[in-house]
Amino acid sequence: MYARLGRELARERRVFVYDPPGHGFSEGRPAYPACISHLTDHLAAWLERAGLVGVPVLGHSLGGEVIIDLAARYPSHVSALIACAPTGIPENPSVRMQLLRLLRDLPRERLALLWPGLRAYWRCGGVCMVRLARDQEAHMTGPLLGQVRVPTLLLDGLADPVIRSWTVRRIQEVLPDAVVRQIPDAPHALTDTHPRAVAAYTLNFLKDLDL
């Protein structure tokens, strides 16, 4: 999901690509992670261990929700956020609705993403995915939004049936220092389908902040 974007960003920046527990090649354990807060706490601990406290962080989809949670609960750990099609906030659809939206999105994605994407979902496992999706319905990120005090870039793919533009705009209304950039024809996995556009917006955002 982040490989193509990581290569683009690495032209100008040192990039760390993080796999949360139970995702990618990072092993979780039974019943962990059980909720979004577990993912946030693990990311905070990883940033501390890696000596990266205070860096800009980028997250896509559920990762976008996690980094906003991180900025609210661990404000010293980040200097800026780049949230690409962040899920769950302020809209928390049912698990069934999330699945239907993802199915609608599949034909819009790159075919080359299909196999590695399926492998990643297989490694994560259906139980973990449903557990995290259900937690989104109760996750208190909405109230936490008002606690975010770092500059935030929200990236909105205009061909994304999963996270719609009105959701991104509602997030912007609550975040005190958020800007929105829209990418035409970008589906939900915009980090994969439009890595150059995402990288360009990200790098320009960070340059404007002198970060």
Side-chain angles (χ1 to χ4, degrees):
M1 184 65 73
Y2 293 95
R4 302 180 80 204
L5 173 60
R7 286 193 289 270
E8 291 294 329
L9 291 171
R11 297 176 188 273
E12 298 188 24
R13 296 271 177 161
R14 189 179 184 193
V15 178
F16 294 80
V17 183
Y18 157 84
D19 279 340
H23 296 70
F25 293 103
S26 294
E27 292 184 6
R29 61 178 186 266
Y32 181 87
C35 58
I36 293 169
S37 294
H38 284 171
L39 296 176
T40 304
D41 294 340
H42 188 278
L43 175 57
W46 182 84
L47 289 169
E48 294 169 5
R49 188 67 175 265
L52 295 173
V53 170
V55 299
V57 293
L58 182 150
H60 167 261
S61 194
L62 177 62
E65 185 170 352
V66 169
I67 65 170
I68 291 173
D69 193 23
L70 178 74
R73 295 174 50 219
Y74 296 88
S76 65
H77 281 53
V78 296
S79 57
L81 301 179
I82 302 94
C84 307
T87 63
I89 42 178
E91 177 189 29
N92 291 302
S94 66
V95 175
R96 177 176 173 273
M97 183 60 68
Q98 291 183 56
L99 178 59
L100 290 174
R101 290 182 182 181
L102 286 170
L103 291 175
R104 285 182 56 203
D105 179 67
L106 275 179
R108 311 178 189 205
E109 304 293 350
R110 278 193 326 126
L111 285 176
L113 181 64
L114 181 61
W115 177 241
L118 289 174
R119 283 187 302 170
Y121 280 122
W122 178 262
R123 283 194 299 266
C124 182
V127 173
C128 181
M129 288 188 292
V130 170
R131 195 163 54 216
L132 292 173
R134 285 179 175 165
D135 185 58
Q136 284 183 293
E137 299 178 22
H139 187 215
M140 295 301 291
T141 308
L144 289 174
L145 278 171
Q147 300 177 32
V148 174
R149 292 292 181 267
V150 297
T152 302
L153 173 64
L154 301 171
L155 293 178
D156 177 21
L158 295 184
D160 182 358
V162 180
I163 301 298
R164 279 79 60 88
S165 293
W166 67 266
T167 303
V168 177
R169 288 194 299 270
R170 284 184 61 189
I171 296 171
Q172 182 191 27
E173 291 172 1
V174 181
L175 289 177
D177 295 306
V179 295
V180 173
R181 296 291 181 264
Q182 295 179 320
I183 302 177
D185 303 319
H188 186 58
L190 69 169
T191 54
D192 177 78
T193 57
H194 292 68
R196 290 184 179 178
V198 173
Y201 279 129
T202 298
L203 293 170
N204 288 336
F205 174 68
L206 295 177
K207 286 175 184 175
D208 289 343
L209 297 173
D210 291 325
L211 293 176

